[in-house]
Amino acid sequence: MLFSIRPRVGRRSDPGRTPRGAPGTTSRARALAVSAAALLVLTGCAGGTEIQTGGEEDRFISGDGSATVFEAGDRVPVPEVGGTTFEGDELALADYEGRILVLNVWASWCGPCRAEQPVLDEVFAEYGGLGVDFLGVNIKDNETAALAYTENKGVEYPSLYDQPGEIPQAFRETVPPRAIPSTLVISPEGEIAARVIGPTTYGQLTGLLDPLVVEYGFGDPQERPRVSEQDSETADDPDEEGASSEGSSEDGD
């Protein structure tokens, strides 16, 4: 499996750098900074829950679902990444320029990923007409199990199969590579507009998308069709189901 990855080149902060101080405090400050950095690498975010799928190299963190919004002037370009879907199609993030992209990192063995899947499916169904696309990134997973997951769940948007987890590594300056699930909202200009570390919710994700939809003139999010309302109307209208059954019976006669 080949991945095209070119991480963004830019100014980086130095987590190991400590302010100047008295000679007696410099070493202690540096040690504290290094310890804090190590803790961030391990946990990925505050409130995370460790998920272990194998040995030490297979430890992942499910974050607490905290979201960060980046205003237009603070957004950074996404790295040039791409890969192959389960269906064998080649896709790159650049293919989605001109539309809003929700990029979700997941795995079939990840309980929080399974829990948030209905949310992703519902938002995908509602926002397709508002300039929003979805793309999954399946990492550290068995391809057969991952494909079965998408089929059993009825996931309608594509996913890249990234067993080594190289795509999250390319986003490591924005999202800890071992944080799963994690979701990025990417602007039509190919810049990171928001992130969620941990499972997202319907209210959270729609709240991140609505301002972008309006900002880029894709329509009025308040007028979108609601999946929950459609399901409720269908359940509350037995006449519609009965009429459909009668029509099928008459056709058969």
Side-chain angles (χ1 to χ4, degrees), residues 152-177:
N152 293 337
K153 296 286 186 180
V155 181
E156 297 186 359
Y157 55 84
S159 281
L160 302 177
Y161 180 57
D162 178 20
Q163 206 286 331
E166 294 179 355
I167 292 177
Q169 284 290 341
F171 283 95
R172 61 187 176 275
E173 294 184 9
T174 304
V175 176

Side-chain angles (χ1 to χ4, degrees), residues 170-209:
F171 283 95
R172 61 187 176 275
E173 294 184 9
T174 304
V175 176
R178 292 184 180 274
I180 185 171
S182 57
T183 301
L184 291 169
V185 178
I186 301 171
S187 76
E189 297 173 346
E191 297 177 333
I192 300 173
R195 73 180 178 197
V196 180
I197 301 178
T200 189
T201 64
Y202 179 86
Q204 181 186 63
L205 187 53
T206 57
L208 296 175
L209 289 174

